[in-house]
Amino acid sequence: LAKDRCRILKSEISDDDLLRPVSHEELWDENTDVGHGYRASNIEDEKKVKDLQKVHEILTLRVLAKKARDYDEADRLKDELYHEHNVRVWDKTREWNYVRSKSVQRGDIVAHDYIRAAGDSSDVDVQIIDNMLLERLRAKLKRDFEQADQLREELRLMGVRVDDGTKQWRAGVPLNERDPWQKPKINYQRRPSADEIDQDTAEISLLPVDE
């Protein structure tokens, strides 16, 4: 796993290297092991974080997880940053900022950060869904991905789809329909080369079409 790889490397990574920004090309270079490339949205956010060094380490772990295509671990680390360090990550701008979160009390996660999708007016028991989303978040933070996947499947059977990327959920989705956030699959077909075209077909294609 990416976190194990980073743990081994940490003894060889200096603080300067750990905090060093990386370019987009380096981010996906297998030979790049240090630096996360994220910056605080303003200097005041860095002062508000209790353990800034730990935040930088988790950001680096998350980059390594994404490079290793361990997206479950990357999502878990993102949740850990938010719920345990009050840090929200913005991947598009490669920034992070400090947020005042009330989701943690006495070391326990008491709230999730998912919102209901706009326009969803399905008649559902929101409290039950909130409880299941909270339970799923706790499972992810404990790295119990089997339990997290099971809860997601239970939600799906209830007609509730969850999008971890946008932190949204939508109810009333039929079982035979794909996730509302899933991009349609595009099937590409290769055009035959000139050598592959049958001679008879080529001759027919040159015939005029009667209109």
Side-chain angles (χ1 to χ4, degrees):
L1 291 175
K3 59 181 178 294
D4 297 323
R5 178 185 176 202
C6 188
R7 188 179 297 112
I8 295 173
L9 290 170
K10 281 173 65 175
S11 61
E12 305 173 3
I13 300 176
S14 67
D15 290 345
D16 291 338
D17 280 337
L18 183 66
L19 310 185
R20 178 180 67 81
V22 296
S23 66
H24 180 75
E25 290 75 16
E26 286 181 303
L27 175 62
W28 300 109
D29 184 355
E30 293 296 331
N31 297 320
T32 302
D33 293 322
V34 296
H36 53 70
Y38 288 80
R39 64 180 181 180
S41 56
N42 60 72
I43 194 170
E44 293 300 320
D45 284 346
E46 292 189 344
K47 296 178 181 178
K48 294 176 182 177
V49 173
K50 292 183 179 180
D51 192 343
L52 182 60
Q53 185 67 23
K54 183 65 176 178
V55 168
H56 284 302
E57 289 182 4
I58 296 175
L59 286 169
T60 302
L61 280 170
R62 186 166 178 265
V63 168
L64 290 173
K66 292 174 72 175
K67 287 175 65 174
R69 294 179 175 80
D70 189 353
Y71 299 115
D72 284 339
E73 177 66 8
D75 287 342
R76 189 200 67 78
L77 290 167
K78 187 175 183 179
D79 288 334
E80 181 179 342
L81 283 167
Y82 181 79
H83 292 284
E84 297 186 14
H85 299 277
N86 290 6
V87 169
R88 186 185 293 277
V89 179
W90 306 96
D91 289 322
K92 288 186 178 180
T93 59
R94 298 190 66 74
E95 293 182 329
W96 62 267
N97 67 293
Y98 178 85
V99 293
R100 292 185 177 181
S101 173
K102 298 181 180 180
S103 64
V104 181
Q105 294 181 3
R106 298 180 181 178
D108 186 26
I109 305 298
V110 297
H112 62 79
D113 55 339
Y114 288 80
I115 61 175
R116 190 170 188 174
D120 179 11
S121 58
S122 304
D123 184 15
V124 294
D125 192 327
V126 177
Q127 186 61 52
I128 291 178
I129 295 174
D130 280 337
N131 290 340
M132 294 180 69
L133 288 171
L134 175 58
E135 187 178 352
R136 182 170 179 263
L137 174 61
R138 288 170 173 167
K140 289 175 65 179
L141 290 174
K142 294 177 181 178
R143 297 186 177 88
D144 189 352
F145 298 117
E146 183 177 350
Q147 175 67 8
D149 289 343
Q150 180 178 339
L151 286 165
R152 180 171 186 148
E153 178 62 16
E154 290 178 10
L155 285 165
R156 190 188 72 84
L157 294 175
M158 294 167 52
V160 178
R161 304 296 175 90
V162 181
D163 182 41
D164 292 322
T166 60
K167 293 290 185 177
Q168 295 184 77
W169 63 269
R170 179 183 293 276
V173 182
L175 292 178
N176 59 346
E177 288 189 12
R178 66 168 183 262
D179 289 348
W181 299 276
Q182 183 180 350
K183 295 181 179 179
K185 185 178 180 181
I186 301 177
N187 295 320
Y188 293 94
Q189 293 183 348
R190 184 178 63 85
R191 291 183 177 179
S193 64
D195 296 336
E196 294 174 326
I197 298 177
D198 181 76
Q199 185 65 31
D200 294 335
T201 304
E203 291 177 355
I204 292 174
S205 64
L206 294 176
L207 294 175
V209 178
D210 294 331
E211 298 183 354

